[in-house]
Amino acid sequence: MMNPPTIGLVVPCYREQESIAELLQQVRVALPEVRIVVVDDSPDLLTVKAVEELALDGVRMIHRDAKEGRGSAVLLGMKELLSQGCLRIIEMDADFSHPPSQVAELEQGLRGRGLDLLIASRYLPQSSIENWPWTRLLFSRFANLVARALLGVPITDYTNGFRAYSREAAECVTATCGRMGKGFIPLSETLLNLHNRGYRIGETPTIFVNRLRGESSVNTEELWNAASGVLRIFLRLRMKALFFPPKNHRSNRR
């Protein structure tokens, strides 16, 4: 019997049968009490089978019949973890690009610094990126610079999906995000929504490792959608500012 949940983890998956079992085992070593939701969009059931064969307590497997995108997978997993009573929620990828050994540090940093969102940023001076082709690195750096220029949130990494949320922030995200598009767009949308509502956001260094096994769900179309999605968010923000004055919701939280 596991203790009542405090920390939850959502892992979006697409054909991650080669890595998911080992990832979940390493996460459970780092955070023994964590509750886990795996949301799988694979066209087959191999990832589901790998999770079920592992037979870890406190792991919920959700399989969707179509590839609905990383953002919607995270939102679905968050809703499930909130319904279980989790007070802090982490999201991470399943391909070991996000180190499982850092999940405890991310959760402790969120709590210890009194934050609502803590991002493991690839672009802090102490961070590093390993095994990425220069074209992907150049695109990512450029996309983050453009996102910061357009959206104005004072952080360095808008698009890394290794993050920890307070319960209040997760409730806000599930209620207000997911309307701007699929794939990686909700990462910027989430960040902007929390920033504009006065939630406390911070960054911490990380080591990002390009996947060494399995099949990437990222393609040229998704990269383009992520870039164009930032522009759509910016235009929507400007239009909203013209007709509706900004409100700070944080004062009503605690």
Side-chain angles (χ1 to χ4, degrees), residues 172 175-177 189-200 240 247-251 253:
C172 175
T176 62
C177 296
E189 182 190 7
T190 293
L191 178 61
L192 184 65
N193 276 6
L194 293 177
H195 174 72
N196 286 350
R197 286 169 169 79
Y199 288 86
R200 295 161 295 189
K240 185 176 181 181
K247 295 181 180 180
N248 189 321
H249 298 272
R250 184 174 174 268
S251 59
R253 291 174 51 241

Side-chain angles (χ1 to χ4, degrees), residues 11-80:
V11 185
C13 288
Y14 182 80
R15 289 181 170 169
E16 301 291 359
Q17 64 270 17
E18 295 182 25
S19 60
I20 187 63
E22 184 179 348
L23 179 99
L24 297 184
Q25 289 174 313
Q26 291 191 26
V27 165
R28 185 53 64 75
V29 169
L31 277 176
E33 71 276 25
V34 70
R35 292 287 180 93
I36 301 170
V37 174
V38 179
V39 182
D40 177 46
D41 282 359
S42 304
D44 53 48
L45 296 177
L46 295 178
T47 303
V48 174
K49 182 179 179 182
V51 173
E52 291 178 345
E53 288 179 349
L54 188 60
L56 279 180
D57 288 337
V59 177
R60 168 116 156 84
M61 182 78 220
I62 300 174
H63 177 75
R64 304 191 294 185
D65 293 330
K67 187 180 179 184
E68 298 181 36
R70 187 190 188 283
S72 67
V74 170
L75 292 176
L76 179 60
M78 278 187 171
K79 289 176 183 177
E80 171 63 26

Side-chain angles (χ1 to χ4, degrees), residues 85-157:
C86 291
L87 302 180
R88 292 175 293 281
I89 295 176
I90 300 168
E91 65 167 300
M92 72 182 301
D93 292 341
D95 59 4
F96 285 91
S97 57
H98 304 148
S101 59
Q102 196 178 0
V103 291
E105 175 192 331
L106 204 59
E107 187 272 333
Q108 291 164 8
L110 179 83
R111 179 164 38 92
R113 293 166 60 182
L115 298 172
D116 294 296
L117 170 61
L118 181 59
I119 301 169
S121 172
R122 297 164 293 184
Y123 300 122
L124 292 175
Q126 309 95 315
S127 299
S128 64
I129 297 175
E130 299 179 1
N131 301 323
W132 245 11
W134 70 267
T135 51
R136 181 78 184 275
L137 178 59
L138 183 64
F139 182 90
S140 177
R141 289 302 297 262
F142 177 73
N144 275 283
L145 288 172
V146 170
R148 179 164 180 167
L150 291 177
L151 304 183
V153 184
I155 57 104
T156 65
D157 197 342

Side-chain angles (χ1 to χ4, degrees), residues 148-168:
R148 179 164 180 167
L150 291 177
L151 304 183
V153 184
I155 57 104
T156 65
D157 197 342
Y158 280 66
T159 55
N160 196 19
F162 192 21
R163 302 176 168 189
Y165 302 80
S166 68
R167 180 177 180 87
E168 293 88 350

Side-chain angles (χ1 to χ4, degrees), residues 193-214:
N193 276 6
L194 293 177
H195 174 72
N196 286 350
R197 286 169 169 79
Y199 288 86
R200 295 161 295 189
I201 300 170
E203 294 182 283
T204 192
T206 192
I207 299 173
F208 181 90
V209 181
N210 192 36
R211 70 158 60 235
L212 299 175
R213 51 188 163 176

